[in-house]
Amino acid sequence: MYRNLVLLFDGIGEVIGEKTLGKDPVITERYLRMRKHFQEVIEKELNEFPRRSEEEENHVKEWIDKYLYDCCMYERWKPYMEVEAAVPYSIGLITALACLQGIRIEDGIRLIVSSYFYSKGKGEKEMMLMMVAGFEKREIAAMIEQARETGNVFQAAELGDIYMLLSGLKDSMEKLYPVFIENGAMKTAKLPAPVAYHTPLAKKHIQEFESYVRDIEVKDIRIPICSMYSNQMLCRKEQLQRELVINLYRKMNAAGCIEAIMQKRERIFFEIGAGKSLYKIYRSINGEINILKNLREGN
């Protein structure tokens, strides 16, 4: 039995492919069965947004596949874990709620689809995300300020001492991208995104998504979720509903959330996810973090 665990539910992360499915046959079998079981639910939710393109549909299906896989991963290891708290990163909040029985799995699918498409058809330009590594927060802010023509670019998440997630309008992000390269960024990666997550650009579309949150049943949970925004432990239905909504338009402080938990006492962090995305993010935080890497692969 693994005790004093804090579960890290990661975000979009890696695509669920053959390499991932080959890691653990038990998880794979459960995932394939669950995927088949919820196929009608997935198609029904996608049909709520008839103006979607094939590319958009494939992208959101990747999100759903990862969500279902991570739910199966949690169930696989649940009997061997004594969990004290959970930390959800971005869309990992939906996965955490489903695993901790705050929402039904099918309602999680609904939230994923609606969070992906909720801004479609409102005249916004294409959005995108950008991961930047190698600069401190103040340096990234200074570069954004210098390139004023970039306009709608925001710091969406602080992922550690030298990691930052940016989000904004695609044309503005494209102008800013060379600035980081020219200044010697350790890593700069562009990621497709349907909306400008975790930024004020998304806030004006929030009412539509909020209606989806109100329509599903959200329950109190026993294992608390640590907020990426307030760093408070959340268990009550009303708190969790609010967290789902603000998760789309408020800047996250992932590093601060982890550090707040680490200060209480020694913890063991276990990532619920197909890859090692949170390990890569949180290794930039000052201090030691104990991550059960082998547990991912069934050891």
Side-chain angles (χ1 to χ4, degrees), residues 18-237:
E18 292 183 6
K19 184 177 179 181
T20 299
L21 292 177
K23 286 183 177 180
D24 189 319
V26 176
I27 296 177
T28 297
E29 191 275 333
R30 290 182 180 182
Y31 159 73
L32 293 175
R33 187 169 66 242
M34 186 181 287
R35 186 66 166 76
K36 182 178 180 180
H37 177 76
F38 287 112
Q39 184 60 39
E40 288 188 11
V41 175
I42 294 170
E43 294 301 326
K44 177 180 179 297
E45 295 303 326
L46 287 173
N47 287 335
E48 292 291 321
F49 300 90
R51 288 177 288 183
R52 67 188 187 276
S53 68
E54 183 178 354
E55 182 181 10
E56 289 170 336
E57 181 171 316
N58 290 336
H59 197 193
V60 75
K61 282 182 177 179
E62 289 178 359
W63 286 19
I64 295 170
D65 285 344
K66 185 182 185 307
Y67 162 73
L68 294 178
Y69 183 90
D70 291 353
C71 287
C72 292
M73 187 176 186
Y74 175 80
E75 286 301 317
R76 165 79 163 96
W77 293 108
K78 182 180 177 181
Y80 311 102
M81 300 188 299
E82 187 176 293
V83 180
E84 292 192 359
V87 176
Y89 173 67
S90 191
I91 204 167
L93 174 61
I94 297 174
T95 311
L97 282 172
C99 290
L100 301 179
Q101 300 183 325
I103 60 173
R104 299 184 305 165
I105 290 178
E106 52 265 49
D107 286 333
I109 294 173
R110 183 181 185 185
L111 287 174
I112 289 172
V113 175
S114 58
S115 69
Y116 188 99
F117 287 111
Y118 73 93
S119 70
K120 289 297 175 184
K122 299 186 184 301
E124 288 289 351
K125 299 178 182 178
E126 188 176 353
M127 310 288 187
M128 68 182 295
L129 298 172
M130 183 186 298
M131 170 74 79
V132 179
F135 300 108
E136 295 180 359
K137 174 184 174 182
R138 58 180 178 79
E139 295 174 311
I140 293 177
M143 288 182 212
I144 295 175
E145 184 67 21
Q146 289 171 7
R148 285 189 175 277
E149 69 276 9
T150 60
N152 295 307
V153 174
F154 295 87
Q155 296 179 29
E158 297 175 27
L159 308 175
D161 294 336
I162 58 172
Y163 283 74
M164 183 69 66
L165 183 70
L166 307 179
S167 183
L169 298 182
K170 184 176 180 182
D171 56 352
S172 298
M173 299 282 274
E174 292 285 5
K175 292 175 182 176
L176 186 61
Y177 186 78
V179 176
F180 292 109
I181 302 297
E182 292 164 4
N183 282 273
M186 180 192 305
K187 178 182 178 182
T188 307
K190 290 184 285 188
L191 309 168
V195 291
Y197 285 108
H198 315 301
T199 79
L201 289 175
K203 190 169 184 179
K204 58 185 173 183
H205 306 304
I206 207 66
Q207 288 183 335
E208 185 176 337
F209 178 75
E210 199 168 8
S211 68
Y212 285 94
V213 175
R214 286 196 302 268
D215 286 346
I216 68 169
E217 182 182 8
V218 180
K219 301 177 181 178
D220 295 349
I221 56 176
R222 181 178 61 84
I223 298 172
I225 289 176
C226 186
S227 169
M228 279 281 173
Y229 311 98
S230 66
N231 296 159
Q232 300 297 309
M233 292 296 184
L234 312 177
C235 288
R236 305 292 297 175
K237 167 186 174 179

Side-chain angles (χ1 to χ4, degrees), residues 236-249:
R236 305 292 297 175
K237 167 186 174 179
E238 295 78 12
Q239 297 173 318
L240 300 170
Q241 286 176 316
R242 181 175 184 274
E243 193 78 359
L244 279 168
V245 174
I246 67 175
N247 191 48
L248 292 185
Y249 68 88

